[in-house]
Amino acid sequence: MILLLRVDHRLLHGQVAVSWCQGLGANCVFCVGDHVANDPVWKTTLKLGKPAGCKLVIKDMDHAVEAINSGVTDKYRMVVSVQTIAEAKELADRCPVVTSINLGNTKASPTTREVSRQVFLEPEEEAMIRELVDRGVEVEIRPLADDPKVDAASVL
């Protein structure tokens, strides 16, 4: 069961490990992305940040989609973490069980627009969010589990 699909360029760190995993009662952190799945240094770093009592799974996009859609992950209470809005959209496009996306931390660049303290969006990411919202996928901004949800569409 997916408790949260979070976009966070850092994937797994204190906010995810403590606030989200503990706050939601998660027993699995599922880091998804082609880059992270093929980077041994990053995989080792993520293992160091894994919360106690939580399983850590790292998969590329295709294998993650296959696992989620097959039901093999249903036995876990998962926080799914991706680095980019494009990756979150791909999961939403390919996995019908994804109905909500949390925007946590995205990187600033000269071409991004700041829409909240930790969320910076490229123009194409704003278009992706609009498309997701139009399809009925909830896209919300919330740094910590106990923070109030902000509807991402309201800040575009």
Side-chain angles (χ1 to χ4, degrees):
M1 164 194 301
I2 296 174
L3 302 173
L4 180 77
L5 169 53
R6 181 175 172 86
V7 177
D8 192 321
H9 68 90
R10 300 172 294 178
L11 289 175
L12 176 58
H13 54 86
Q15 283 179 331
V16 173
V18 177
S19 174
W20 288 107
C21 290
Q22 288 180 4
L24 298 175
N27 62 11
C28 179
V29 177
F30 194 0
C31 295
V32 176
D34 294 341
H35 178 74
V36 68
N38 293 297
D39 184 329
V41 173
W42 202 350
K43 284 164 63 169
T44 299
T45 303
L46 290 172
K47 289 173 186 170
L48 294 173
K50 178 185 79 69
C54 245
K55 179 179 182 70
L56 174 65
V57 178
I58 303 167
K59 289 195 179 290
D60 63 48
M61 184 62 69
D62 286 339
H63 287 101
V65 167
E66 182 182 324
I68 291 168
N69 287 338
S70 75
V72 73
T73 60
D74 291 353
K75 62 187 172 189
Y76 299 108
R77 295 178 50 81
M78 295 190 305
V79 170
V80 179
S81 189
V82 297
Q83 283 192 290
T84 68
I85 292 166
E87 289 170 330
K89 182 180 181 301
E90 184 171 354
L91 281 177
D93 290 347
R94 296 176 63 191
C95 299
V97 297
V98 173
T99 58
S100 179
I101 297 169
N102 165 260
L103 304 181
N105 290 286
T106 59
K107 286 185 178 182
S109 82
T111 56
T112 56
R113 183 170 72 91
E114 184 174 4
V115 297
S116 79
R117 192 168 54 85
Q118 298 170 312
V119 177
F120 302 84
L121 300 176
E122 298 285 354
E124 61 270 18
E125 291 172 329
E126 291 189 33
M128 287 180 213
I129 291 168
R130 283 189 189 93
E131 180 189 327
L132 287 162
V133 169
D134 288 347
R135 278 194 351 228
V137 176
E138 175 190 46
V139 183
E140 51 98 358
I141 300 169
R142 195 166 29 139
L144 302 172
D146 56 358
D147 288 336
K149 286 184 182 183
V150 175
D151 180 3
S154 72
V155 298
L156 297 181

